[in-house]
Amino acid sequence: MASESISVTTSDDQTIQLSRKHAQMSQTINSMLEDSVGADQEAIPLPNVSSEVLKKVIDWCTHHENDPAPVEKVKKLNKKREYKAKNSTISDEWDKNFVNAELRVIVDILLAANYLDVKGLFELMCKHIANELKGKTPDQIRERFGIQDDLTEEDKAAMRKAWGATKNDS
Amino acid sequence: MPKREANLPEGTRLTNGVKIGRYRISNSRVQCECCNEVMTITNFSRHPKTGKGTPYDRVRIVDTGLSLTEWTNLSTNNPPVFLVQYSDQPDRESWVQPNQLLMSEIQDYFTRGATLVKTEDESPLPPLIESRDPSDDMSEEESDGDIDWGDTSFSVVFTDWTSLPAESIGRIIAFSGYTGWCSLRSVCRKWREMSDQAYYNLCRLMPPARYTQALQKKTHVTSSTESQTDLAMRDRDALCKLKDKN
């Protein structure tokens, strides 16, 4: 019988136990588990995820462990053919609190969710970042994310010509 | 998956002299926890009342919307960010405490270091942090072993904020719509490339009517007499042509 908990090793060499249910919310870990059926259960290495971030991911999985599986959601979405821009409102109060973190942490969780393939968490982080971007000029986005403007004047002129001016260009 | 953090081990010294690692701080000194190198922050004035060397008149306290741990941009072609991270994770209210003022000065140094990297042809700025031997120039009561380093420390890590996973850019555009795409692609070259690819993918996936409906958003972007729909349709066509050409 499969063990009820899974050991994973994080990028900072911490070994963390997580329940099989939570582990299976990650398609990446789930695939690893399926590939290693019958093999000795060694800790699964997660070289791209730190223990700090993994704990956040587990927190999120714990809160959402009874949510419908993402596959079911996709099927529903396809059936309705709802090809419209998604609503970025975060309605779950717990999620609102969860994303109320430093941008560094948000990006780390986003990267972890992408690597671990935890779809709901990935969506939440993207939604939050989209909300961060909304209504901001490119200048403000650069400032928020600490990104240098490496677009040349020629680039910007071409963009203005092709796409129309933005508030930022005025 | 793109890696956000470069594989720079502690102790790596970057071109601007800043070293990756963890540091402890005490008054005007910082000590690298990796090699115990002690550095002194110079050029800041004394507090008018206490006489302590806190950099009150040089500190930039700017509400950038960033927390202290989300830090600044050093640049070459691939803009990294140096993250100054406190071990005690202070909230924003602790900005003005002396230690944090000192940290701000250090952060300011990192920013100026970036300028040094960027403008090689210009005269370099005088260093705010002077590296020196731990045993050198210590006052009697401040021999290396006697310094009270306190419990505040910070780390310098190398971060590239532009390296959001490409998949996430597509999602973000899906959530933020047409104007999100416009803003995103105007931030930097890397995001422009990823945004255009994501936008193109959205174009392919969505039927035109749905697509234009999806991307209509009331936002700051528009300048011409064209409607959002017109712009979206034109952009979509332009992108598709571009892709076909390539």
Side-chain angles (χ1 to χ4, degrees):
Chain A
M1 184 181 155
S3 165
E4 285 308 306
S5 68
I6 308 293
S7 295
V8 295
T9 311
T10 56
S11 60
D12 49 340
D13 283 334
Q14 301 286 312
T15 301
I16 292 178
Q17 299 282 327
L18 62 161
S19 74
R20 183 167 285 271
K21 187 172 186 178
H22 294 161
Q24 287 174 335
M25 291 170 80
S26 156
Q27 286 304 307
T28 304
I29 298 178
N30 204 24
S31 301
M32 289 177 182
L33 289 173
E34 285 172 0
D35 290 345
S36 64
V37 170
D40 290 340
Q41 290 296 316
E42 291 180 358
I44 294 173
L46 300 176
N48 293 330
V49 185
S50 70
S51 56
E52 179 196 2
V53 173
L54 183 63
K55 283 170 188 166
K56 287 273 185 190
V57 174
I58 295 171
D59 284 348
W60 184 88
C61 289
T62 305
H63 180 73
H64 290 277
E65 61 186 11
N66 295 321
D67 286 3
V71 176
E72 293 170 32
K73 283 184 181 173
V74 170
K75 279 180 183 170
K76 275 185 185 173
L77 201 67
N78 288 340
K79 197 176 177 183
K80 289 183 180 177
R81 293 186 171 275
E82 287 183 340
Y83 291 110
K84 61 182 178 184
K86 295 181 177 181
N87 184 353
S88 64
T89 306
I90 299 171
S91 51
D92 185 317
E93 284 300 320
W94 190 93
D95 280 349
K96 277 185 197 170
N97 193 43
F98 183 77
V99 298
N100 185 22
E102 298 159 15
L103 187 59
R104 175 187 67 87
V105 177
I106 294 294
V107 175
D108 280 343
I109 296 172
L110 172 72
L111 291 168
N114 183 45
Y115 172 70
L116 295 173
D117 199 0
V118 183
K119 288 189 170 54
L121 181 58
F122 184 69
E123 293 272 318
L124 175 67
M125 292 297 113
C126 290
K127 201 179 271 193
H128 177 64
I129 291 177
N131 289 337
E132 286 279 322
L133 297 175
K134 271 184 186 172
K136 285 193 173 70
T137 64
D139 269 347
Q140 289 168 330
I141 296 171
R142 276 184 217 109
E143 190 177 350
R144 181 80 179 93
F145 282 82
I147 291 173
Q148 198 208 5
D149 182 4
D150 61 357
L151 296 166
T152 64
E153 282 309 311
E154 288 77 19
D155 290 334
K156 288 174 187 173
M159 268 192 264
R160 276 193 292 270
K161 193 176 175 185
W163 319 100
T166 68
K167 192 177 179 181
N168 188 44
D169 298 323
S170 59
Chain B
M1 184 183 73
K3 282 182 77 68
R4 189 175 66 82
E5 290 191 359
N7 185 23
L8 296 176
E10 286 195 355
T12 303
R13 195 177 287 279
L14 300 162
T15 49
N16 68 342
V18 175
K19 193 168 56 176
I20 304 295
R22 285 186 61 79
Y23 295 83
R24 292 178 283 187
I25 62 173
S26 174
N27 288 328
S28 61
R29 291 180 179 177
V30 295
Q31 183 183 39
C32 176
E33 290 187 353
C34 170
C35 63
N36 290 330
E37 181 182 12
V38 175
M39 296 174 286
T40 300
I41 299 178
T42 59
N43 294 342
F44 51 84
S45 67
R46 305 251 158 210
H47 187 276
K49 288 184 181 173
T50 66
K52 288 183 179 176
T54 44
Y56 277 90
D57 68 340
R58 291 182 49 83
V59 172
R60 267 184 325 143
I61 300 178
V62 182
D63 185 3
T64 60
L66 300 179
S67 73
L68 283 170
T69 54
E70 298 160 4
W71 212 195
T72 190
N73 189 4
L74 288 181
S75 175
T76 51
N77 290 327
N78 185 23
V81 170
F82 281 98
L83 203 65
V84 176
Q85 183 180 51
Y86 291 87
S87 60
D88 53 352
Q89 297 288 311
D91 55 25
R92 295 180 67 177
E93 280 72 36
S94 61
W95 251 113
V96 293
Q97 290 174 355
N99 274 346
Q100 274 65 59
L101 287 174
L102 177 61
M103 294 305 300
S104 300
E105 187 73 359
I106 296 169
Q107 290 164 347
D108 188 40
Y109 165 77
F110 291 138
T111 311
R112 282 162 21 87
T115 310
L116 272 176
V117 173
K118 277 165 60 181
T119 57
E120 288 175 351
D121 296 332
E122 296 173 19
S123 300
L125 293 164
L128 272 174
I129 297 179
E130 291 177 347
S131 177
R132 67 184 193 182
D133 187 284
S135 60
D136 185 34
D137 195 25
M138 293 268 184
S139 61
E140 285 181 11
E141 66 278 13
E142 280 189 333
S143 65
D144 195 16
D146 295 336
I147 296 176
D148 175 15
W149 290 106
D151 57 2
T152 302
S153 62
F154 66 98
S155 299
V156 177
V157 295
F158 180 86
T159 306
D160 180 3
W161 291 114
T162 64
S163 292
L164 285 177
E167 297 82 355
S168 69
I169 296 280
R171 288 283 188 220
I172 290 165
I173 291 172
F175 284 126
S176 56
Y178 173 71
T179 53
W181 171 66
C182 286
S183 298
L184 213 58
R185 74 183 305 280
S186 306
V187 169
C188 65
R189 289 181 171 214
K190 197 166 183 177
W191 281 19
R192 183 177 61 180
E193 286 164 20
M194 291 199 290
S195 301
D196 286 352
Q197 183 61 48
Y199 192 86
Y200 173 71
N201 290 338
L202 282 177
C203 294
R204 284 193 318 166
L205 290 172
M206 293 185 179
R210 294 278 188 185
Y211 166 82
T212 49
Q213 181 190 1
L215 296 179
Q216 278 184 58
K217 290 269 179 182
K218 287 181 183 175
T219 65
H220 61 276
V221 177
T222 63
S223 57
S224 63
T225 54
E226 289 175 293
S227 68
Q228 290 284 327
T229 309
D230 292 336
L231 280 171
M233 285 299 289
R234 190 186 62 186
D235 295 346
R236 177 175 183 270
D237 292 343
L239 263 177
C240 290
K241 281 177 189 168
L242 182 70
K243 289 291 172 185
D244 290 343
K245 195 177 170 183
N246 291 339

